[in-house]
Amino acid sequence: MIPHNRMLMVILLCQVLLGESSHASLIPEEGKKKVSELQGRRSGQSHELLRDFEATLLQMFGLQRRPRPSHSAVVPHYMLDLYRLQSGEAEEAGAHDANFEYPERSASRANTVRGFHHEEHLERVEGVQEEPDSPLQFLFNLSSIPEDEVLSSAELRLYRQQIEDAGLYRDHEGLHRINVYEVLKPPRKGQLITRLLDTRLVRHNISRWESFDVSPAVLRWTQDRLPNHGLAVEVLHLNHTTSQQGRHVRVSRSLHQVPGEDWAQLRPLLVTFGHDGKGHPLTRRVKRGTKPRGRKRNRNCRRHALYVDFSDVGWNDWIVAPPGYQAFYCHGDCPFPLADHLNSTNHAIVQTLVNSVNTNIPKACCVPTELSAISMLYLDEHDKVVLKNYQEMVVEGCGCR
Ligand SMILES: *[C@@H]1O[C@H](CO)[C@@H](O)[C@H](O)[C@H]1NC(C)=O
Ligand SMILES: *[C@@H]1O[C@H](CO)[C@@H](O)[C@H](O)[C@H]1NC(C)=O
Ligand SMILES: *[C@@H]1O[C@H](CO)[C@@H](O)[C@H](O)[C@H]1NC(C)=O
Ligand SMILES: *[C@@H]1O[C@H](CO)[C@@H](O)[C@H](O)[C@H]1NC(C)=O
């Protein structure tokens, strides 16, 4: 396992190289200058420092290489809403969708959420003439889920549109049933061998997302490594005979592009909830204060502001949110005698005491004593959207140790 403190170590290293300032960014403009000035003609070293920094972060994030998302990569609103609730941003902006439901149960066991769109190019089986009301097959490529990530649940989200023509359903009693199946064998002659996963009876008269539990199928594909032939969705209209498969449940791209309608956002979305064994699960957060505490102008050990801006390493193309974050660092004196508010240990008190009589023994060090997590939303190497909780990214408290 990679020590999470390494990131803070790298930041502190930068801090040392760039000289001290109470409000530093990772590589501030003047800091860059300072590094190159320090290095003199060997200015390649500041690039080396950045490269090391980048490599360390990637390793910490469990990524093989820096993702380079294509221009067509789409971040589903659902993932953004999840991120906002996760990071406590939603309360501030009130930005999220009104009928967004936070998946409390699924999220409480996961530290990683991934979003997948189906692979349209793999689904068109040539020569197979689809019956208008036969179930539609969806293939999801889940191979980007790392082996050490244990999935706890998965849901298929389908967007259902209100039927405009209310005249057809005078009594507003129109109902339809949505069935979601796992496809067990490759389709032959247009026939699908399936197993029912989830079903719901829904009304015609509202537009909203419906979520279906597809955990058993996704667990068979990932944990049990059984072949993945995809999911099938069937829409049954109960109150009239004419079939309108797919017309108001957005399961396929419309032939006639309706203006203002965004297939990229309304298409089906498979969401997996997993845990890689590192750190705490996702929790709805109320944003904590980011102002450094204890602004007293003394030189004692305390927390200082340090903003890590992802654009400094040119990462704002694949990290969707946040743009950067307040990491803080610990710095200051640990004077004899150690005061209580310096969060010292008995050992630190003894060491400081010994230092006061024998300077060969160093004083206690000012280090982070409490760290907290941040969540990040990013696009991985395969253009898939990932929401992940990273432990020990922010200094909450400093102390003499
Ligand atoms: C699934 O995605 C992986 C990358 O994660 C890719 O290498 C592979 O070719 C894809 N499989 C299919 C059938 O498209
Ligand atoms: C949809 O129809 C049901 C049953 O008639 C009704 O109770 C409900 O209020 C309607 N909802 C909307 C948004 O019109
Ligand atoms: C159709 O609508 C009626 C009310 O108009 C309702 O009683 C019935 O359950 C609905 N479904 C079917 C299959 O008829
Ligand atoms: C000591 O720790 C607490 C809690 O972690 C923190 O609030 C406080 O600021 C710390 N003291 C110093 C001097 O940083």
Side-chain angles (χ1 to χ4, degrees), residues 310-347:
F310 294 127
S311 64
D312 283 344
V313 271
W315 280 8
N316 35 358
D317 60 341
W318 66 275
I319 297 184
V320 179
Y325 80 103
Q326 195 60 260
F328 300 105
Y329 70 100
C330 296
H331 185 76
D333 294 336
C334 291
F336 173 79
L338 281 181
D340 279 350
H341 70 273
L342 292 177
N343 290 329
S344 48
T345 55
N346 283 339
H347 178 270

Side-chain angles (χ1 to χ4, degrees), residues 43-85:
S43 65
Q45 277 208 286
S46 71
H47 290 116
E48 226 162 81
L49 179 70
L50 268 184
R51 231 190 359 257
D52 284 354
F53 181 78
E54 193 179 61
T56 306
L57 280 182
L58 285 177
Q59 198 185 15
M60 204 179 75
F61 292 154
L63 297 168
Q64 309 294 323
R65 56 182 171 277
R66 175 200 193 290
R68 304 223 172 249
S70 68
H71 291 295
S72 57
V74 173
V75 179
H77 290 323
Y78 179 71
M79 298 294 287
L80 264 176
D81 284 345
L82 264 186
Y83 167 78
R84 289 191 183 124
L85 278 169

Side-chain angles (χ1 to χ4, degrees), residues 171 173 238-239:
D171 49 8
E173 288 283 0
L238 303 179
N239 275 58

